[in-house]
Structures are given as structure tokens and as C-alpha cells.
Amino acid sequence: MSLSEWSSFFQGELGAAAALAGLLFVSVSVNQARILELGRMADRGLEALVMLLLVLVVASLPLVPGQPLRLLGAEILGLGTATLATLVPLQRAYLREVDALNRRRSVWMVAGNRSAVLVIALAGLVLLWRADGAGIYVLAPGILLSFVATGANAWVLLIEINR
């Protein structure tokens, strides 16, 4: 397996991550006053932005020519771990303030966000451990799960907070 076989996929994911980042900024801009009224709701936007930045970097790294798979794996594992270390305290803080009506849905969203990042970190671990293409096949669903998770966060910030 050659990383060059995946270059179109990673280039497409870069474009998708940029588009979702744009949607996130629009949703925050449109509802900025309402988001700030709701205490730590802005943390949802920061959480989604951090995840999209993770995808941007993780989708960029395989495009570096001649990069050894073990090094790529170490980079992805490190980025995934650092992202989790950033998100978990942020998520705990805003979950403490979520009202009972929205708590269950928010807990599920947090679980989805963490799962997406964990799959990306796992892909890095597999690449580091095996130094073959198996980790890339784990990375793809992690990136796609991140898009679902950040899209859900953008939806909450654009629509759900006004219900």
C-alpha cells in the first residue's frame, strides 16, 4: 500500500474540513449573542473547531512526500492524544452546566466526539505499530466520524439553541 493511492481521499477531506469550518463560523456568527447567553455553549464551538483542526492536520500529514508510516503514525497518535487532552476538560465543564432536558443528548454528542478522536488516535497507533496501510483504513472512518460529530455541533449552534 502506498500513501499516494490515498492522496485524492486526503485532499478531499481537507476540502471538506475547510467547508465545515466555514459552516461552524457562520453558525457561531449568526447566533453569537444567544451562544454567549447560554454560559459554556461557546465551548461546543471550540470543541468542533479543535476537531476540525485535527482533521485538517491529520489529512495533510499523509500528503508529505516520502514520510515513513511509523513517523506518520506517531504524529497522528500524538495529535489525537493531545486533542483528547484538550477536549475532555472542555466537555466536562460544559456538561456540568447542561440542563436536565438536554443532558442526555449532550452526553451522546460528547461520546460521539470522543469516539471520533479516539478512532483517529487508534489509527496512529496502528500505523506506528504495524507500519503498513492498516492504520490508514482505520483513519478514514475516524475522519468521517469527526465530520458527523462536528456537523452535529454546528447544527446545535445554528438551530437547536434557538428552540
Side-chain angles (χ1 to χ4, degrees):
M1 197 262 353
S2 166
L3 282 178
S4 63
E5 296 171 31
W6 284 85
S7 64
S8 294
F9 173 78
F10 289 117
Q11 289 170 356
E13 300 315 283
L14 282 168
L20 277 174
L23 172 64
L24 178 65
F25 278 106
V26 167
S27 64
V28 170
S29 298
V30 167
N31 289 323
Q32 181 181 9
R34 180 74 176 130
I35 289 168
L36 293 174
E37 277 176 21
L38 295 172
R40 299 198 63 109
M41 184 59 75
D43 291 349
R44 285 293 246 315
L46 179 58
E47 177 181 17
L49 181 61
V50 167
M51 290 178 66
L52 287 171
L53 289 175
L54 172 67
V55 170
L56 280 167
V57 174
V58 164
S60 298
L61 290 173
L63 298 174
V64 174
Q67 172 142 237
L69 288 175
R70 286 193 197 279
L71 176 59
L72 178 62
E75 292 167 342
I76 292 171
L77 176 60
L79 287 165
T81 303
T83 300
L84 279 173
T86 302
L87 292 185
V88 168
L90 192 68
Q91 293 165 334
R92 285 183 178 162
Y94 78 66
L95 281 176
R96 280 194 292 270
E97 293 187 16
V98 171
D99 59 33
L101 181 65
N102 295 308
R103 185 157 191 69
R104 184 178 211 162
R105 186 179 319 161
S106 294
V107 167
W108 277 105
M109 287 185 80
V110 163
N113 294 350
R114 286 185 191 174
S115 296
V117 175
L118 278 169
V119 171
I120 289 173
L122 176 64
L125 181 62
V126 171
L127 277 167
L128 181 61
W129 172 45
R130 293 179 48 136
D132 66 10
I136 299 296
Y137 286 97
V138 177
L139 183 58
I143 289 173
L144 298 174
L145 285 171
S146 294
F147 288 154
V148 171
T150 56
N153 277 328
W155 177 262
V156 167
L157 293 170
L158 185 61
I159 303 296
E160 292 297 322
I161 64 168
N162 291 312
R163 286 187 190 236

